[in-house]
Amino acid sequence: SVYVDTSVYLNLWKKETSHTGVPFWKIAEKFFHRVEHQGLLLFFSGFVLKELSAVAPDAYASKRHMFDDGIRFVRISVTENDY
């Protein structure tokens, strides 16, 4: 199981590449494929959702439903002890 940071989703959704041409989006695509193939859980937080909706609102709107999966995607909550 893994916690996936906002940047990984953005790499894929925005097809981002580095300034030297490294295709970050292909790396992210391969990562998600491997996670799915291995049946791992993907953890996310409300912070990730907030960032995605602010930085990539159109992509987020069309893909928001995947976080409601409940089978592969698991939401974690931040508590006062976490900060």
Side-chain angles (χ1 to χ4, degrees):
S1 300
V2 292
Y3 178 89
V4 181
D5 188 61
T6 305
S7 60
V8 181
Y9 294 105
L10 292 175
N11 289 160
L12 180 60
W13 295 358
K14 297 174 82 176
K15 296 206 181 295
E16 294 179 329
T17 59
S18 74
H19 68 282
T20 60
V22 175
F24 291 145
W25 72 271
K26 286 187 178 184
I27 297 167
E29 183 177 60
K30 186 181 282 189
F31 167 77
F32 283 114
H33 177 70
R34 184 169 290 163
V35 164
E36 184 174 353
H37 179 70
Q38 293 179 3
L40 299 175
L41 295 175
L42 293 168
F43 291 95
F44 68 95
S45 68
F47 295 124
V48 167
L49 299 181
K50 187 76 167 172
E51 285 182 293
L52 291 172
S53 67
V55 176
D58 293 337
Y60 175 75
S62 68
K63 294 170 175 48
R64 171 64 179 97
H65 67 281
M66 70 185 208
F67 293 101
D68 297 327
D69 175 322
I71 297 170
R72 279 195 4 233
F73 288 87
V74 179
R75 185 173 183 156
I76 58 173
S77 298
V78 178
T79 67
E80 285 188 28
N81 294 332
D82 296 325
Y83 54 87

